[in-house]
Structure formats: C-alpha cells, structure tokens
Amino acid sequence: MSDRLVTELSAALAPDRVRSRPLELTLYRRDASLLEGQPGVVCFPCTTDEVQAAVTIARRHGRSVVPRGSGTGLAGGAVPVGADGAEPVVVVTTKMDAVLEIDEGARVAWVQPGVLNLDLSRDVAHLGLHFAPDPSSQQSCSVGGNVANNSGGPHCLAYGVTSAHVLAVEVVLPDGTLALLGGLDPEPPGYDLRGAFIGSEGTMGIAVRIAVRLSPDPPAVRTILVDFASIETAAATVTGIIAAGLVPAALEMMDSRITAAVEDYVHAGFPRDAAAVLLVEVDGLPAGVEAAAQVVADVAEANGARGVRVAADEAERALLWKGRKSAFGAIARIAPDYYLHDTVVPRTRLVEVLAQVYEIAERHQLLVVNVFHAGDGNLHPLLLFDRRERGVMDRVLAAGAEMIAACVAVGGVLSGEHGIGLEKREHMGLIFSDADLDAQRRLRLAFDPDQSCNPYKVLPSGSRCGDLQSVPAGAWI
Amino acid sequence: MTEPVRTLPGADRALGDFATEVGPSDPVVVVGGRTQWAVGGDPDASAREVRAPAGVVQHEPAEMIVRVRAGTSVAELDAALAEGGQTIALDPPDAERATVGGVLAVGHSGPRRLGWGPVRDSLLEARYVSAGGQLIRAGGPVVKNVSGFDLCRLLVGSLGTLGLLAEVVLRVRPRPPAAVWLRGAPDDPDRLRRALLRPSSILWDGATTWVLLEGHAADVDAEIKALGREFAPVGAPPPLPNGGRWSVAPSALQEAVMGLEPGSFVAEFGVGIVHASTPALARPAHPATATLHRRIKANFDPSGRLNPGRIVA
Ligand SMILES: Cc1cc2nc3c(=O)[nH]c(=O)nc-3n(C[C@H](O)[C@H](O)[C@H](O)COP(=O)(O)OP(=O)(O)OC[C@H]3O[C@@H](n4cnc5c(N)ncnc54)[C@H](O)[C@@H]3O)c2cc1C
Ligand SMILES: Cc1cc2nc3c(=O)[nH]c(=O)nc-3n(C[C@H](O)[C@H](O)[C@H](O)COP(=O)(O)OP(=O)(O)OC[C@H]3O[C@@H](n4cnc5c(N)ncnc54)[C@H](O)[C@@H]3O)c2cc1C
C-alpha cells in the first residue's frame, strides 16, 4: 500500500481512523458471505466531509472505493476487490451512527448511514413509531447497508422493502461531489434517482444521510404458529391465505430440521416433530385483525394443519419471533458452516421448487434446511457443511447453482433481499439478456463513469459498454 | 384457485411488432390516452407517433400480480382485476382513456396515495423498447426482487424519454371490503391524520376536509364513530383543480397554501400534493443532480430520439 495514500487519508481523517496494518486489514476482507477480498486501507469517516475527502484521495491515487456498513451482507457486496488489481480503499460508515432529526408529526427521521436498523426503531419506539424494514440481522446491520441492498425482512410482505420507506438519500458520488436524491416532498423533479440508487449495492456512491419514513405501530397484532405434517400442506396454506384476500403482516415458513434446531436453541415451544411450521402475523385495527386471524385458522384447517396456536400475549409473541429470528444462530448447532441462498419464485410454485431443493441437496450429499419468507415466495435454502471436509465446497457451489437454476426455471429471480454482490453476478445472464444488462450498466455509468466505486459487483463481466475483466484471483470462497 | 383470468395468444409477438415499429432511428413519440399530453411540454412536431400494444395478458390473484400491455386503459385493467377480487393503486381522473403506460410514464399518483403508496411502488417488471429499438426487460414478475439495478423506478415518471413501455407486471391488492368517503370541517386536519391508523386519503381545501376510510367494515365503522358527528359520509371526494400540481413536504403543506382562497385548491394531507389552479413554481435541480439527469438521458438515448421535446427535469 502506498505510504502517500495512507498519509493523506490520515491527515484528512484522524490517524486512528485509518488502518493499514495487515492484521487490521484482515478483519475487512470478508462480509457475512464466504467470499474474500483484500483491502488496501480501511478508513472510518465520521462526517460527510471526511467521506468526500476519502473518496477524492482514493480517486487521486487511482484506487477504487468500497463502501461498507456493518458487513452483514450475504452476497459479498462489501468484499473489497479493486479495479486493475490495485487494492481498494474501504470506507466503513459505522462511526456515522447518529439519528440526526426526528419529525414526529411528519413521521420522518434523518439518520446517518451507520445507524443500526434496530437502534432506529428503538429510538422512536416511545413515539409509537418504527422503521418497517426488519431484516433478521436487524440488531447488527446498518440503515446505509439496508439502503444499498434494498433489504427486506418478515414484515416486508405487507409493508414493502426498504425502497418504500426511504424518502431521500444524500450521496457522495464516486467523483467526490455531494448530491441529494429524492426529497421529503412526494414528487421531486426529474428522474427517480433515489429509486435508482436504492439497491445499487455501493456501486453508485456512498450514502451519508438518509431520510426514512417511520410507520405507526399497529394497535392490534395477532401472531399465529401453525403446525403441518407436510411441506405441501404448509405451502398450500400460504397460497390459500393470499388467495383469500388477506395480506398478512408476515408469513414465514420453517422446515422440520430448522424448527427442531430452533426449539433446542430458544425453547419457544415450536413443535419439534412438525414437517413444517408457518409463523403468520396479522395486524391493524382490532376487528380486521380478528377476522384475518380467523381466516388464517380456517385456511390452515382446511389444508389439514395439525395445530394452530395464537400467541396469548406480547411475551409469547416475542418468543415466537425470537425463534424465527434465531434460525441462523441455531444452525451453528447442526454444522459449522452454511451457505445461504436467496431466490424468489412465484408463490404458487413453492411446493414443486422446495421438492427440487431437497432433491438437489440429497444428490450432492448435502444437508439443506429451509427457513424463508413464504408470503413473498422468497426462498432461503441453507446448505450446511463443514468446510474442513475435502471437496465439500465444490459440491456446495454446484448444488447452489442448480437451485438457482431451478428457481429461475419457474419464473423466479436471483435475489429477493440479499442482492447480487460478488456472489451472483455471473448468474445474472440467467434472467437478463445482454441488452438488459447493458441497460443496467448505462444507469450505473451515469453515476460512476470510471467504475471506481465498488467495481466487480452486481453486473457480470463481459457485457458491453465499458467492459470489466472477470474477478481477479484472490476474491475467493 | 390460480387460474389466469385470460392469456392472450402471441403475447410476445405483439411486443416484437411494437419494437419493430419503433425501430432504431428517427424521433418517435408514444401516445397513450392523451389525457396528460402536455406534461413536460409538447413533443417535437418531427416525431412519429406510435402506440403501445394493449390487453391484459395474465392476472394471477394468488400471486398478487397482473401482466398487462402498456396501451391498455386503466378502466379495462381494473375491470379484469375486479373479476379476481383485486384492484390496483392507479386511479387517474379519466380511467376510460388513460393508459397503464401513460400513468406510469407520467408517474403521478392518485389521491389515495396516502394509504396505497405511490404508483412507482406497484411496478415490478417492465418490458420497454430502448432508443436502439431493442426490447429490454427490467425487474421481474415477483413481488420481491433485488436482482440488479432498479430500472423500474427510473422509468416511472420518465415521460417516455428513456424507453417506451410495452408491457408491465404490476403488484395488485385485494379490494377493500368496505370504503367510505366522509366530509367535515375539523379545526386541524393534521391531527385527524395522526388519530387514524391508515386512512387512504385526507383531502383539505382550506375549510373542508374529506377522508377516505377503507378496510374491514367494523373497523371502518369504529373509525367513523371516533371521527365524531361532525363527519358525514359523502358519495365522492371534491373535484381536483387541474391548473397546477405542487409537490411540497407534508409538514410544509399548510404554509404552502397560506393566503390561497379556501376552495381554490385541494391538498393531500400526509402526502404533500396540492392540486391548485396555478402552476407550481419551477424548481431547478441542484447542479450535481442535474448532471446525473443529463448523463442518464445521454446514456439511454444518445441521439435524443425518444419523446423529443418533453422535459423531465
Ligand atoms: C444472520 C443474518 C440474517 C440476515 N437476514 C436478512 C433479512 O432478513 N433480510 C435481508 O434483506 N437481509 C438479511 N441479511 C443480509 C444483510 O444483513 C443485509 O443485506 C443488510 O442490509 C446489510 O447491511 P450492512 O450494514 O451489514 O451492509 P454491508 O454488508 O456492510 O454492505 C452491504 C452492501 O451495501 C453497501 N453499503 C454499505 N453501506 C453503504 C453506504 N453507506 N452507502 C453505499 N453503499 C453502502 C456495500 O458496499 C455492500 O454492497 C442477513 C444477514 C445475516 C448475517
Ligand atoms: C391533476 C392530476 C391528477 C392526477 N391524478 C391521478 C390519479 O388520481 N391517479 C393516477 O394514477 N394518475 C393520476 N394522474 C396522472 C394521469 O392521470 C396519468 O398520467 C394519465 O392517465 C396518463 O395516461 P395517458 O394514457 O392519457 O397518457 P398520455 O397523455 O397519452 O401521455 C402522457 C405521457 O406519457 C407518455 N407515454 C404514454 N404511453 C407511454 C408508454 N407506453 N411508454 C412510455 N411513455 C408513454 C406520453 O408520451 C406522454 O409523454 C394525475 C395527473 C394530474 C395532472
């Protein structure tokens, strides 16, 4: 790493907020995926000026910039890979963690990107408000990361993903200038740049200030755990609930292996012998909620559910959700490593796709568990393994690729909430033609003509319009 | 349970024909119902007129989506959705004439936006014809999708200057079992917004307030009671003045209309749209934002052939 680059960054930020020693850099080689890169230097700005300075200095030294929030991303979006093999400058926004302003009347908050998702909801809880997007990682992921990935969560079925809850984003563009995208008014002039930026996975600049919409807490909530003897009946119930004209606040499915693991882990009272469980939540005004809960029970019974349990109080409800949100933690009890997929299929194809998922895993001699946002058709097959086993990674990758192909074959897409990142870029051709990808590249190039911001992410190599080589060796699983 | 309402034969051929008609060169302007023709300015006289294909291709109630060609009228789409007990958050003033493509291209949401969200949130997939005459797909036919950059958001409100919409997949919703417009004259319409959980619309003309409540019948009844005797059901909201459409932060709404005659405007509370009799003041974009707008247009339509004359920003 060039000393001049480090010296200049240290002068612009504070020396202790610029790290370049090998051991420190090691911590930023990965996110929560299995991919790995190599940062040249990592810096921790506290202000917009410092982000601008870091971007400008990196650019002057011909270095790419990789934005990073909490590093919980599962698609390798924050894994540092620089253009032309030059190690990039990683800009971590975790120190920009202030809630700047809360307008209770307008139900809007301005926050810095490093604010943790759950902290934001905690900060406004006394006002009867919350931030609706609720990824399972909400204790640790940042709002900036949510914006960059257009993250989802259990409650996005009824309330929409991050994009529906962000009004404006102030961005340090890849050339170091500052731009406000969107606004607090409903129809800002010009193209919807805010919409274009959300989900751009750090390739169009660094979000430094975000105006989010806060939602009122619903007065009535019912959380229902339904127990099934087969995956088919659980999936049929999902379709039946939606077809009955209901849009539950959440509609989550867990298969038998994960249900048992979770039960051993948090003792939420999940039926250990169920083939699948559904966690359904309905909320709103009391009469509608009661009626909806009844519809859920009726549809479940009509489909042969073994049991329907309605949480009696807030404590029981919290326990059920704890079970769902601890699923990933529970997996550690089954196997040391997991590889998580994230695809979306039409809801009505859930049964057949799940059958294929199990078949593919079995054929590759791998254990698969499923815990996912069934209401959205957003599947999360988790392949469990021990990476010390020889040759297992090849099987994991092969099985993963087959699962993606199976989902796409029924009209699905590559990702519902984790993004494409480094992980799935070479799969983009499964759903998009070269011309489609070229259009996406044109949008990216409008923000980042030099492709210096988070290169190699999202778009595959080989599409036209300012080509990139394939990912250099070193970015590896 | 998931039978499509209907499937038009030769669906993809109609799109291909549209792409061929648009072709790779010379100026073109796409015509919808001409109900908002002047938004963004009149097209250059040199531009050749084309029309997007029409027809509801597929409605799957259990998926909460509909595939529809851009030239379909909003009224026809809504009639098809009604058969499956669903509806969509598009409610242009003249639904018989207004087309799905026109509504998306203009990108203005209707007065139910408070409860239903903006038009842009309902677009899941778009097939459009690019400046090069190619058929491009953006997004995907599922309710949740982060596979690649969000071109759908970019296309909504772009007035056909980045691509010509041929076919779209939209997110639809169950029809609310009960819906009622109420009228009253409370002291503070904003307090009312906060008292209700999810009103679908609150309109205010400086003196009178209209509220649209939708949902389960018993809940709607309870909310009507909570509003008090001052509010009475009415058949419809007030007509909206159409001389200007102002967009202001919801918290600045009352200030924005200060000095206007009551009755000369209708403001959407909680949203920030003012339907006024005078045009909105021009709001020049910030230089950095303007640069992005210019680059996007240049990258998508290098020769400036799509809807020439229309200005988005
Ligand atoms: C156990 C577990 C459960 C999860 N559950 C969910 C879930 O339910 N739903 C879901 O959607 N995701 C989930 N995730 C994935 C992940 O938590 C989300 O994608 C999250 O939004 C990432 O936030 P982050 O702050 O960790 O971002 P990072 O991982 O640090 O970065 C993610 C991407 O955002 C970019 N980025 C970060 N900050 C900025 C910024 N300020 N400006 C511009 N770009 C930026 C990065 O370059 C990268 O491309 C889960 C992850 C884990 C480990
Ligand atoms: C005061 C006011 C209130 C409104 N209220 C509502 C409302 O309540 N709900 C609502 O949904 N909308 C509302 N709108 C928006 C308006 O109703 C729609 O924009 C209108 O219906 C456009 O449809 P059209 O087919 O008549 O388009 P046209 O008038 O024919 O065309 C409008 C523009 O769209 C372009 N265009 C048309 N078709 C396409 C296509 N296929 N691809 C690309 N570009 C295309 C045209 O070239 C032109 O630039 C409102 C607008 C105003 C000004």
Side-chain angles (χ1 to χ4, degrees):
Chain A
M1 178 53 41
S2 107
D3 292 343
R4 287 268 312 276
L5 172 60
V6 175
T7 311
E8 284 179 39
L9 286 169
S10 303
L13 279 65
D16 67 329
R17 289 193 279 107
V18 178
R19 306 287 172 84
S20 59
R21 284 209 293 270
L23 192 64
E24 294 167 322
L25 296 183
T26 305
L27 299 173
Y28 294 89
R29 295 185 60 167
R30 289 182 53 177
D31 57 6
S33 72
L34 298 173
L35 297 155
E36 224 167 65
Q38 180 60 47
V41 51
V42 181
C43 49
F44 301 84
C46 290
T47 63
T48 296
D49 285 349
E50 290 182 352
V51 174
Q52 286 183 280
V55 169
T56 309
I57 292 167
R59 192 183 164 80
R60 203 160 53 226
H61 286 264
R63 299 296 177 131
S64 320
V65 168
V66 175
R68 179 184 174 106
S70 306
T72 68
L74 288 161
V79 168
V81 189
D84 305 326
E87 293 162 356
V89 174
V90 175
V91 177
V92 185
T93 54
T94 47
K95 291 198 189 301
M96 301 176 75
D97 62 353
V99 174
L100 302 168
E101 189 187 320
I102 297 171
D103 183 339
E104 184 196 351
R107 293 176 181 155
V108 172
W110 278 101
V111 304
Q112 288 188 310
V115 171
L116 300 187
N117 176 298
L118 194 59
D119 284 353
L120 172 58
S121 280
R122 284 195 181 128
D123 267 21
V124 297
H126 67 287
L127 303 171
L129 300 171
H130 66 280
F131 180 52
D134 60 343
S136 302
S137 53
Q138 67 186 142
Q139 293 191 3
S140 41
C141 65
S142 72
V143 176
N146 296 163
V147 167
N149 276 1
N150 195 9
S151 297
H155 287 87
C156 295
L157 171 59
Y159 300 120
V161 291
T162 299
S163 180
H165 302 277
V166 171
L167 301 167
V169 191
E170 195 173 40
V171 176
V172 171
L173 296 172
D175 67 1
T177 56
L178 194 64
L180 181 68
L181 315 180
L184 298 187
D185 64 310
E187 290 172 4
Y191 297 125
D192 184 2
L193 302 179
R194 180 205 53 83
F197 182 84
I198 297 173
S200 62
E201 303 194 28
T203 64
M204 297 185 192
I206 304 182
V208 289
R209 217 160 57 95
I210 303 156
V212 298
R213 183 197 307 283
L214 301 171
S215 307
D217 297 342
V221 183
R222 280 273 177 282
T223 306
I224 306 156
L225 187 78
V226 195
D227 166 352
F228 293 94
S230 75
I231 296 263
E232 288 75 14
T233 50
T237 303
V238 172
T239 318
I241 289 172
I242 305 284
L246 226 60
V247 185
L251 186 35
E252 303 282 300
M253 196 195 286
M254 295 161 71
D255 74 6
S256 62
R257 283 193 195 116
I258 193 73
T259 305
V262 161
E263 188 49 26
D264 292 345
Y265 187 50
V266 299
H267 310 291
F270 284 18
R272 289 192 93 270
D273 59 339
V277 299
L278 286 183
L279 189 62
V280 191
E281 188 157 279
V282 289
D283 70 10
L285 293 164
V289 167
E290 282 317 312
Q294 192 57 53
V295 171
V296 171
D298 292 347
V299 173
E301 262 156 45
N303 282 290
R306 298 196 310 180
V308 176
R309 172 175 147 208
V310 182
D313 53 24
E314 187 51 36
E316 190 178 356
R317 181 179 165 252
L319 191 60
L320 292 179
W321 274 113
K322 188 174 172 204
R324 165 61 182 89
K325 293 205 173 179
S326 318
F328 297 104
I331 283 162
R333 302 168 69 94
I334 312 179
D337 299 294
Y338 66 76
Y339 191 50
L340 173 56
H341 281 276
D342 165 44
T343 60
V344 188
V345 298
R347 232 175 328 240
T348 46
R349 313 296 290 270
L350 276 176
V351 174
E352 73 192 85
V353 174
L354 278 170
Q356 287 186 56
V357 163
Y358 289 113
E359 186 276 319
I360 292 166
E362 195 171 329
R363 194 153 35 75
H364 290 275
Q365 295 165 311
L366 291 164
L367 200 60
V368 68
V369 302
N370 283 285
V371 42
F372 60 100
H373 313 302
D376 294 316
N378 187 184
L379 284 174
H380 285 328
L382 285 124
L383 292 166
L384 311 186
F385 61 97
D386 182 341
R387 72 168 92 196
R388 290 165 302 189
E389 190 188 325
R390 273 190 73 187
V392 72
M393 268 332 290
D394 293 339
R395 269 155 44 216
V396 167
L397 291 179
E402 282 180 40
M403 288 176 188
I404 292 172
C407 293
V408 169
V410 299
V413 297
L414 300 178
S415 173
E417 53 181 24
H418 298 165
I420 298 300
L422 208 48
E423 184 198 34
K424 286 187 180 159
R425 60 196 290 266
E426 297 301 342
H427 294 293
M428 287 282 276
L430 284 179
I431 58 172
F432 293 118
S433 70
D434 284 350
D436 301 343
L437 292 170
D438 178 57
Q440 294 189 32
R441 193 178 296 277
R442 285 169 194 266
L443 170 60
R444 194 267 164 101
L445 289 177
F447 280 81
D448 184 16
D450 304 328
Q451 306 188 78
S452 63
C453 208
N454 218 1
Y456 302 108
K457 305 298 160 58
V458 186
L459 296 180
S461 50
S463 33
R464 285 172 296 156
C465 203
D467 209 358
L468 285 165
Q469 321 91 304
S470 52
V471 179
W476 216 217
I477 288 190
Chain B
M1 194 156 32
T2 63
E3 286 304 301
V5 166
R6 58 187 133 152
T7 304
L8 292 186
D12 284 337
R13 216 185 62 213
L15 305 191
D17 290 347
F18 181 50
T20 307
E21 190 191 353
V22 172
S25 56
D26 80 41
V28 287
V29 55
V30 60
V31 183
R34 285 193 200 276
T35 64
Q36 295 293 328
W37 197 240
V39 177
D42 285 323
D44 287 357
S46 63
R48 178 163 58 88
E49 288 190 358
V50 295
R51 280 179 182 276
V56 178
V57 179
Q58 203 174 24
H59 173 216
E60 302 212 22
E63 297 294 347
M64 293 207 296
I65 59 171
V66 65
R67 182 179 290 278
V68 58
R69 295 196 190 136
T72 314
S73 78
V74 173
E76 185 188 338
L77 170 61
D78 205 40
L81 294 178
E83 286 177 37
Q86 294 186 325
T87 183
I88 188 153
L90 309 181
D91 50 350
D94 185 351
E96 296 293 332
R97 287 170 58 216
T99 62
V100 171
V103 168
L104 293 170
V106 175
H108 290 167
S109 303
R112 290 187 303 177
R113 174 173 171 159
L114 182 60
W116 289 67
V119 158
R120 65 182 168 82
D121 284 352
S122 55
L123 181 61
L124 301 173
E125 176 185 306
R127 283 174 196 263
Y128 67 92
V129 180
S130 69
Q134 276 176 303
L135 205 54
I136 309 284
R137 170 177 148 187
V142 287
V143 293
K144 201 174 178 197
N145 183 10
V146 291
S147 313
F149 301 136
D150 196 345
L151 292 181
C152 286
R153 290 291 193 297
L154 191 68
L155 289 168
V156 176
S158 68
L159 290 178
T161 59
L162 304 179
L164 308 184
L165 294 167
E167 185 177 285
V168 295
V169 176
L170 300 169
R171 174 202 286 268
V172 301
R173 303 211 195 177
R175 266 176 202 264
V180 55
W181 277 100
L182 300 150
R183 188 178 60 197
D187 298 337
D188 181 1
D190 203 41
R191 201 170 56 223
L192 192 127
R193 172 181 65 84
R194 295 201 233 172
L196 298 166
L197 179 61
R198 291 173 200 134
S200 293
S201 183
I202 302 179
L203 304 177
W204 179 66
D205 74 352
T208 306
T209 301
W210 289 260
V211 182
L212 174 62
L213 298 177
E214 293 178 301
H216 191 272
D219 288 333
V220 170
D221 283 346
E223 288 206 298
I224 294 175
K225 284 212 187 71
L227 282 177
R229 232 178 294 158
E230 192 190 347
F231 276 86
V234 286
L240 305 176
N242 62 8
R245 186 178 172 100
W246 310 355
S247 172
V248 295
S251 55
L253 199 62
Q254 264 152 324
E255 197 186 327
V257 299
M258 212 143 59
L260 290 188
E261 259 321 284
S264 69
F265 67 93
V266 173
E268 296 181 24
F269 255 86
V271 171
I273 293 293
V274 181
H275 303 270
S277 42
T278 52
L281 295 176
R283 292 184 296 167
H286 183 273
T289 321
T291 303
L292 289 171
H293 289 151
R294 258 197 317 277
R295 284 204 210 128
I296 288 174
K297 173 66 179 172
N299 287 1
F300 278 79
D301 182 16
S303 67
R305 65 178 292 242
L306 300 181
N307 269 12
R310 308 254 198 236
I311 308 228
V312 177

